[in-house]
Amino acid sequence: MCRLVRIFALTGTGRLDQARSEALGLHEVCAASDEHWTRSYLDHQLALIAVLEGRTLDAVGHARAVLHAKRHIGDDFGIAMALDLLAIALSDAGEERSAAHAFGAALRFWETVGHPQRGTPEMAALRDACEERLVHALGRQEYERLLDAAAEREPRALLSWATRGGPLPPR
């Protein structure tokens, strides 16, 4: 736990190379012992670091790994955080419609934990900037339509889509 908190601190203070290196090392320890909770938060940090460094495909992959693990352990708070991060990574990859859908999915999970978009402080600015880009790219009406359509879906179906990727589910 102390090593994980240190990685959060390193990321938050912009020491991304060191944070990534320590996260990868601890990730190996967790994988060797089949530990999922810490590993899921390490993947979250690795996804965030990848977003901050502009490594979009890595960010998407790590965000999906978080979702897979959080689904396994039933951590809806972690799922909500990971969906926000996935949305940002998808937007950075030019997948605006999927990003809006992921934000809608995140809203659905934030509602289940009772804290709409509580997340970590470093995510707020990233999330807000991403939402602005999506509204600009898609238009307010289409963005909100995609957001609402996702928020109305069954949470497990949303999680299944977000974990595996692919085309948006039909309405």
Side-chain angles (χ1 to χ4, degrees):
M1 180 65 92
C2 291
R3 290 174 70 185
L4 177 62
V5 170
R6 176 179 164 78
I7 292 163
F8 270 79
L10 289 168
T11 304
T13 57
R15 295 166 64 184
L16 303 181
D17 288 339
Q18 188 177 359
R20 184 181 345 90
S21 175
E22 291 189 25
L24 290 170
L26 185 54
H27 196 281
E28 287 180 20
V29 171
C30 292
S33 63
D34 201 31
E35 192 281 341
H36 294 275
W37 187 87
T38 301
R39 189 172 15 160
S40 70
Y41 279 104
L42 291 167
D43 276 315
H44 181 274
Q45 286 304 111
L46 289 166
L48 177 57
I49 292 165
V51 162
L52 295 172
E53 292 178 334
R55 293 181 297 106
T56 306
L57 295 179
D58 288 343
V60 170
H62 284 296
R64 289 199 167 121
V66 175
L67 290 167
H68 179 75
K70 296 297 186 183
R71 181 182 192 178
H72 175 74
I73 60 178
D75 179 0
D76 285 352
F77 180 81
I79 289 169
M81 286 177 45
L83 285 166
D84 276 346
L85 194 49
L86 178 63
I88 293 164
L90 289 170
S91 174
D92 288 350
E95 298 182 37
E96 289 88 1
R97 295 174 55 76
S98 292
H101 191 76
F103 269 142
L107 287 172
R108 184 83 156 104
F109 277 89
W110 283 120
E111 288 173 3
T112 68
V113 297
H115 297 287
Q117 294 199 331
R118 183 172 156 213
T120 56
E122 67 270 14
M123 290 295 298
L126 291 171
R127 188 176 47 244
D128 292 346
C130 180
E131 185 174 38
E132 281 183 37
R133 288 191 316 270
L134 291 173
V135 168
H136 179 74
L138 297 168
R140 168 83 46 200
Q141 186 175 359
E142 178 65 3
Y143 174 72
E144 289 180 2
R145 187 190 71 73
L146 289 163
L147 206 69
D148 292 344
E152 292 171 5
R153 295 190 192 285
E154 195 273 322
R156 299 301 156 205
L158 290 168
L159 187 52
S160 179
W161 166 80
T163 302
R164 71 172 168 13
L168 293 178
R171 276 185 70 95

